[in-house]
Amino acid sequence: MRLLLVAAALVVAVVPGAAARSDPALRLVSLSPAVISPNGNGVNDSLRLRLNAPASALVGLRVYAWGGRLVGWKRIRTGVSARGPELTWDGTTSTGHALADGSYLVTVCYENVGPLLPPRGVVRPGAAEASVRRPLWRRTGCLANPRVVRVERLAAYVDSTGSFESGAQVPVVASVDRGQASEELEQDCSGRHTRGFAVPGGARPGLYHAVVTSQGDRFDAPVVVRDRRSLDHPRPHTALVVWPYLTWRAYNAYDADLNGIPDSWYQFWRQRRVSLTGPILRGGVEDDHKAAAPFSRWLCSRSVRTQHVTDVELGRLPLSTLRRYAAVVFPGHSEYYEPATYDLLKRYRDGGGSLIFLQANPFYRQVRIDRDSNAVVLTDYDAREGRSDFALTGVGYDGCCFPHARARPYVAAGGRDYDRVRWLFRGTGIGPGQAFGIAASESDRIDPQLTPRDHVVAAQAILRGKRGVIDAALVWSRAGRGQVFATGNYTFLRMGRGLTYGLLDNVWRRLVG
């Protein structure tokens, strides 16, 4: 069954008399289907449009795609034109390139497109805002009311924000032609597949993916599998591994409301809501998958005790349950959080619990969940004055998104600082002041006022960012009766199996037991 496909037309004001022409103002008579799946199987492969254009008039199809928060709308040339009232488009460009799945704004114009209509709305800085205020398709010789069409060969998602135990049926919703697709559950750490979406009995807890394939296309959806034991009764020395569902949603490029702009503030600054459930673009794979995958492989190579949940579930656990775990581990990009989750973790840490953050930028921005609207709502871009990332994790965001050529190795601490974290480097061959590994992309620093006073910068890398120096700080800190380890960089888990595994072994031994 297709996903909800309510094609919302982009309302554009009609300017009477704007074009002096003998031809009538273009009007769309019909458009179908609202979703095309151009995979060559004969089902909804093409978009068909019918207009009121005279038979002698030459009209052309124009398609526009959202180019991101720094670019805005950009035109994609289709090469589709004809004389008369009917046009057909197969989802390709004028050079025959097949467009990726996503939403596109479609309009039709006369050969003489005419001038741009006057801008509308408030003037805001930036190219993206300018393209919204005066979009390229608002011309006198074009449709007054373009439509947004979705290109969707295949899509799938898990209709849940939680985890699943062995034997459970994962509620996967798939959008596929004729409903014909293969269904498998894939374990991240091993790549092993099982048919169907039921979690196998005795399945090892961790991150899996529901995999849907059809007509040579593949779409994934992340699935968190928990241990069959009750969350309230873990065995001794068990770590609670928390997967960043909220951050997966924040970086999603899916356009759920079909206005042509993906529903993420990473795509448009003014956007403040993303869908709580639904497909993840591109291809269903979460944004931090490659960065977190080495942790899953390490986990499967070790005999350690873990329980697994999503961050949505974490925020609803009582403190009494959380205190039964030796540590809470965040292997993914845990940038977004609910305020109650922050408060819960702080009480857990201060009461003697251990926190482990294995990627950069943890607990940076606050969100709230609006289940009635199926939405995650961004409420605060930078909450450091209230719930500081530095105060909880020991580190905070410093910079990101620069070329990999600027990556630099970590340098281990020296002197007394090295002595305090000697346990971290045991068996790795890394001595005081020695360079090792690599730090790249997103990085965190300490703050002299906000980072817990009792902390050690175990290693750091100084990188050249976009606007100056960036400090990637690997930090061990103590606050209350608890302790925290934070890697301070997005690539810590990808420094190479020998090095990363050795450091993870030492962190686990120290903070989990």
Side-chain angles (χ1 to χ4, degrees):
M1 182 176 179
R2 276 254 167 239
L3 307 177
L4 293 177
L5 303 173
V6 181
L10 183 65
V11 179
V12 180
V14 179
V15 180
R21 62 171 70 251
S22 57
D23 295 328
L26 277 175
R27 178 173 55 83
L28 188 63
V29 176
S30 64
L31 177 151
S32 67
V35 177
I36 63 172
S37 55
N39 51 20
N41 68 352
V43 180
N44 297 327
D45 282 336
S46 300
L47 177 70
R48 299 175 297 279
L49 303 94
R50 185 172 182 83
L51 306 112
N52 66 333
S56 60
L58 181 64
V59 294
L61 181 76
R62 293 189 171 205
V63 172
Y64 296 86
W66 185 254
R69 62 188 181 187
L70 300 180
V71 176
W73 291 106
K74 62 181 182 180
R75 183 181 172 187
I76 297 174
R77 298 186 182 276
T78 65
V80 175
S81 62
R83 293 192 182 276
E86 295 185 356
L87 290 170
T88 301
W89 179 54
D90 62 359
T92 61
T93 68
S94 59
T95 60
H97 176 72
L99 293 183
D101 283 12
S103 58
Y104 299 88
L105 187 137
V106 175
T107 190
V108 178
C109 303
Y110 284 114
E111 184 178 14
N112 177 14
V113 298
L116 280 171
L117 294 171
R120 302 175 303 170
V122 178
V123 177
R124 294 184 173 92
E129 288 285 2
S131 78
V132 170
R133 187 166 180 261
R134 197 179 193 187
L136 297 172
W137 61 82
R138 289 192 69 242
R139 293 180 176 273
T140 57
C142 300
L143 286 173
N145 295 299
R147 296 292 182 90
V148 174
V149 173
R150 195 191 305 281
V151 174
E152 186 173 274
R153 298 167 181 83
L154 182 64
Y157 69 95
V158 176
D159 193 17
S160 171
T161 61
S163 58
F164 302 88
E165 61 184 16
S166 60
Q169 183 70 32
V170 181
V172 177
V173 180
S175 168
V176 56
D177 291 339
R178 297 194 184 101
Q180 297 175 353
S182 65
E183 303 175 349
E184 295 179 311
L185 198 63
E186 179 181 273
Q187 185 184 32
D188 262 36
C189 71
S190 68
R192 287 195 293 268
H193 292 249
T194 56
R195 295 185 64 181
F197 294 139
V199 180
R204 184 165 186 156
L207 187 63
Y208 290 65
H209 281 82
V211 180
V212 180
T213 55
S214 177
Q215 301 290 320
D217 294 313
R218 168 175 169 148
F219 208 96
D220 292 22
V223 177
V224 177
V225 173
R226 65 177 183 267
D227 188 87
R228 65 181 182 275
R229 294 175 179 81
S230 167
L231 285 170
D232 293 328
H233 297 93
R235 291 182 293 173
H237 304 297
T238 296
L240 182 64
V241 177
V242 181
W243 295 95
Y245 185 92
L246 294 172
T247 302
W248 295 345
R249 304 310 303 177
Y251 282 88
N252 184 14
Y254 196 76
D255 175 24
D257 60 5
L258 267 178
N259 69 348
I261 302 176
D263 303 331
S264 171
W265 41 90
Y266 289 99
Q267 294 287 334
F268 190 37
W269 285 117
R270 281 193 278 141
Q271 179 75 26
R272 288 295 182 270
R273 303 168 73 87
V274 296
S275 57
L276 178 62
T277 61
I280 295 175
L281 288 183
R282 302 281 188 231
V285 178
E286 59 279 14
D287 181 74
D288 69 343
H289 179 256
K290 288 184 179 179
F295 174 79
S296 292
R297 291 193 289 269
W298 172 84
L299 204 58
C300 275
S301 70
R302 299 295 189 267
S303 298
V304 294
R305 297 173 181 174
T306 58
Q307 180 61 283
H308 295 250
V309 295
T310 68
D311 50 2
V312 177
E313 292 176 295
L314 171 65
R316 285 144 186 82
L317 292 178
L319 180 60
S320 58
T321 294
L322 203 59
R323 283 177 170 162
R324 297 176 184 270
Y325 292 89
V328 181
V329 181
F330 297 86
H333 191 195
S334 305
E335 180 175 353
Y336 294 91
Y337 67 91
E338 295 178 276
T341 304
Y342 181 105
D343 297 341
L344 174 68
L345 287 174
K346 188 173 183 300
R347 292 195 297 271
Y348 165 79
R349 180 203 63 184
D350 292 349
S354 296
L355 302 177
I356 301 172
F357 299 96
L358 296 176
Q359 287 194 38
N361 201 17
F363 282 72
Y364 182 44
R365 291 170 175 165
Q366 294 180 11
V367 297
R368 65 176 174 83
I369 291 176
D370 181 354
R371 289 190 180 272
D372 292 339
S373 302
N374 187 38
V376 179
V377 183
L378 179 64
T379 58
D380 193 349
Y381 260 117
D382 190 342
R384 285 171 174 168
E385 292 184 2
R387 295 176 174 88
S388 162
D389 45 357
F390 292 104
L392 179 67
T393 72
V395 297
Y397 175 72
D398 196 25
C400 80
C401 315
F402 41 83
H404 188 76
R406 299 184 187 178
R408 293 292 181 270
Y410 283 104
V411 177
R416 295 180 63 184
D417 284 346
Y418 183 89
D419 290 339
R420 291 195 65 193
V421 292
R422 189 179 294 273
W423 55 267
L424 175 63
F425 301 114
R426 184 176 296 115
T428 64
I430 301 170
Q434 185 173 336
F436 67 93
I438 197 74
S441 189
E442 204 153 355
S443 301
D444 299 336
R445 61 178 173 85
I446 61 168
D447 185 285
Q449 301 299 321
L450 298 172
T451 296
R453 182 173 299 179
D454 186 7
H455 72 270
V456 178
V457 178
Q460 64 179 341
I462 306 300
L463 306 97
R464 180 167 59 91
K466 291 180 177 178
R467 298 176 180 85
V469 171
I470 292 176
D471 183 6
L474 192 156
V475 175
W476 175 61
S477 61
R478 301 188 67 92
R481 290 186 288 129
Q483 56 183 327
V484 181
F485 176 80
T487 65
N489 193 258
Y490 194 64
T491 54
F492 173 84
L493 291 171
R494 291 182 283 181
M495 295 191 300
R497 178 168 179 165
L499 176 57
T500 296
Y501 281 25
L503 293 171
L504 281 175
D505 288 342
N506 291 334
V507 169
W508 210 267
R509 188 178 298 111
R510 175 79 178 200
L511 277 73
V512 183

